[in-house]
Amino acid sequence: MMDGNIAGKKRVLFLCVRNSARSQIAEGLTNALCGDRFEASSAGTTATRVEPGAIKVMAEIGIDISSHRSKSVREFIGRPFDYVVTVCDESQPDCPFFPGGKESIHRAFDDPSACRGTEEEILDCFRR
């Protein structure tokens, strides 16, 4: 436990701009599905709120992220991570950078909170 890992778990930080949807979903999925191997956190350049659509679609698959809060990347400065994963889409020049990861990964996802339409159409964006 020299680097702060809990029981040998790899630490992952998911980053996006507002920490409201993509990174929250990634944190919830990783902890629920791979929590025996990974300890996931998420943050954004600017903390806002967790989107209700993200909470709703995660609940549809049995994962409760209703207690999550949006966090600023500043909260994680100085903490070591095995992986830092940015999940911003390619059109966002303000996608955050975090220097504390052993390995950086980028995987672009469209921002579901930018979707417009009926409630069901918006939720479909979050499901994607």
Side-chain angles (χ1 to χ4, degrees), residues 8 20 26 35 47 51 56 71-72 83 117 121:
S20 64
E51 287 285 339
K56 188 167 188 171
K71 301 165 290 295
S72 167
Y83 303 100
E121 289 169 334

Side-chain angles (χ1 to χ4, degrees), residues 41-93:
S41 300
S42 66
T45 307
T46 304
T48 56
R49 69 180 182 128
V50 180
E51 287 285 339
I55 294 169
K56 188 167 188 171
V57 299
M58 292 295 283
E60 290 174 354
I61 60 171
I63 299 173
D64 182 8
I65 64 167
S66 63
S67 65
H68 283 201
R69 66 179 178 83
S70 182
K71 301 165 290 295
S72 167
V73 69
R74 287 183 215 84
E75 290 185 39
F76 296 94
I77 299 296
R79 293 191 198 174
F81 288 92
D82 296 291
Y83 303 100
V84 175
V85 183
T86 52
V87 293
C88 305
D89 63 50
E90 300 299 341
S91 68
Q92 291 183 300

